[in-house]
Amino acid sequence: MFEVLVFVYENYYAGENYPEAALLERKLNAVGFDAEEIDDAMAWLNGLQSAAQGSMTSTSPATAPEPWLREPSASSTRIYSVLEQRHLGAECLGYICFLDSAGVLSAPMREVVMDRALAAPGGPVSLDDLKTIILMVFWCFGQEPDPLLLDDLCDDGIDRVVH
């Protein structure tokens, strides 16, 4: 599924949003992705859209964000459930905490990242898969990550030389 998400991001990021679901599915089939991967990715993207729409702030009570997506107070602490800890692991949770403490990932965006990470099929989420999820969340929120963060999110780390 993550290969499909990377393809969607790489090919539709500049266009601000991806095409209609039926057109996107045909394109993904034409490129050669497996039908099961496409179905998983489309369901995941629909969930991302729903979560992002639910997080948008509004002054109207009828369109207010879900309670779990509201901005917490400055003195609050996010506690990760056992399920979240198992599904993401220490490395991914550490990365999320780093982005959170650096002020790069807002609390509502963090919760959408957590929601989408838990919605990812299969076993524990790898750090590379989490970075793909974070990129997709930034894209869905209409925000471009800081260039240094974008470099980190897109880096495969294979050819990087430490100075």
Side-chain angles (χ1 to χ4, degrees), residues 7-8 29 42 58 65-66 107 111 131 135:
F7 177 85
V8 170
N29 274 318
M42 295 304 292
S58 173
E66 297 294 323
E111 294 309 313
K131 288 179 179 184
L135 273 175

Side-chain angles (χ1 to χ4, degrees), residues 46-63:
N46 287 334
L48 175 61
Q49 290 286 52
S50 296
Q53 288 173 354
S55 71
M56 302 300 173
T57 58
S58 173
T59 56
S60 167
T63 58

Side-chain angles (χ1 to χ4, degrees), residues 126-147:
S126 71
L127 184 58
D128 287 339
D129 291 345
L130 178 69
K131 288 179 179 184
T132 301
I133 291 169
I134 293 169
L135 273 175
M136 297 301 288
V137 169
F138 269 99
W139 180 36
C140 192
F141 273 73
Q143 297 181 16
E144 187 167 329
D146 176 83

Side-chain angles (χ1 to χ4, degrees), residues 71-88:
E71 198 67 44
S73 70
S75 62
S76 66
T77 301
R78 172 63 157 88
I79 305 297
Y80 297 97
S81 72
V82 173
L83 174 66
E84 291 169 334
Q85 291 175 32
R86 284 188 192 138
H87 198 71
L88 274 82

Side-chain angles (χ1 to χ4, degrees), residues 9 95 99 104 127-128 130-136 138 145-156 160:
Y9 183 82
Y95 192 72
L99 295 178
V104 175
L127 184 58
D128 287 339
L130 178 69
K131 288 179 179 184
T132 301
I133 291 169
I134 293 169
L135 273 175
M136 297 301 288
F138 269 99
D146 176 83
L148 290 175
L149 175 62
L150 188 59
D151 181 51
D152 184 53
L153 292 173
C154 295
D155 181 38
D156 61 7
R160 185 158 292 217

